[in-house]
Amino acid sequence: MNMEPIFTRRVHPGIARAAQHCLDLAGRKELPRRSDFRPSAVRSILGYIFLIDVVPGPDSYFFKLFGVHMSVLYGNDLTGKHLGQIDNEALRACLRSTYDAVVAERTFQYIRGQYVWNDCSVGIERLLVPMTDEEGQINSIFGLAIPDVSTD
């Protein structure tokens, strides 16, 4: 997994730490294994991470973990919910498209931009990293989103 674009630009230190952690987990493998990931290993950014299970079927993304700061940012806790349960149709479609691309391309995605929903706009840096099962099939997505405003 080549994350050089992350390390050759100025990114939030939490993004850099998460990217390095994912590289360390991957080792010589193409992608990190989900079974190797422990949220406690990224304790300093735990409130900003989310883990998405990739499951078969039409509602193919399930939020296994949704950090407390993410819940404040989005206005609700998505832990234990499927992507299809997000009420905002435009946001749901955008996230589905993004997650589909991460899975299909088998590569990380980093963005710095604006999230716009619920009549507000927040600057954000986000990292998505696909993770695999023991056979190399993508079974989850590690996500980290850090806003440019405090969520405390």
Side-chain angles (χ1 to χ4, degrees):
M1 182 168 55
N2 179 8
M3 285 197 174
E4 186 176 335
I6 296 283
F7 300 114
T8 58
R9 63 172 58 162
R10 188 175 166 174
V11 299
H12 187 281
I15 297 281
R17 276 193 305 275
Q20 186 61 57
H21 181 64
C22 289
L23 279 176
D24 292 345
L25 288 178
R28 294 182 183 263
K29 299 181 296 291
E30 175 192 15
L31 295 169
R33 287 188 182 142
R34 170 61 182 97
S35 61
D36 293 335
F37 180 79
R38 299 287 176 266
S40 60
V42 290
R43 190 173 310 278
S44 66
I45 54 172
L46 190 58
Y48 298 98
I49 70 169
F50 50 102
L51 289 173
I52 303 165
D53 286 346
V54 178
V55 294
D59 206 3
S60 51
Y61 300 105
F62 177 79
F63 292 93
K64 182 87 165 184
L65 172 69
F66 204 71
V68 65
H69 296 299
M70 294 300 302
S71 297
V72 170
L73 189 62
Y74 276 92
N76 62 5
D77 184 5
L78 296 178
T79 301
K81 296 183 179 175
H82 287 273
L83 180 63
Q85 293 176 277
I86 294 177
D87 292 333
N88 183 316
E89 186 176 331
L91 176 60
R92 186 174 61 243
C94 180
L95 292 175
R96 180 177 302 285
S97 174
T98 299
Y99 301 157
D100 285 349
V102 168
V103 171
E105 295 168 17
R106 297 181 64 88
T107 191
F108 78 94
Q109 185 184 86
Y110 168 80
I111 64 148
R112 177 182 288 148
Q114 293 290 123
Y115 273 9
V116 180
W117 69 95
N118 298 334
D119 298 323
C120 68
S121 176
V122 176
I124 199 146
E125 284 184 66
R126 185 191 67 205
L127 175 66
L128 299 173
V129 179
M131 296 182 149
T132 68
D133 61 18
E134 303 303 314
E135 287 80 41
Q137 298 299 310
I138 295 175
N139 66 350
S140 64
I141 299 171
F142 165 80
L144 170 65
I146 301 180
D148 63 5
V149 297
S150 175
T151 56
D152 292 327

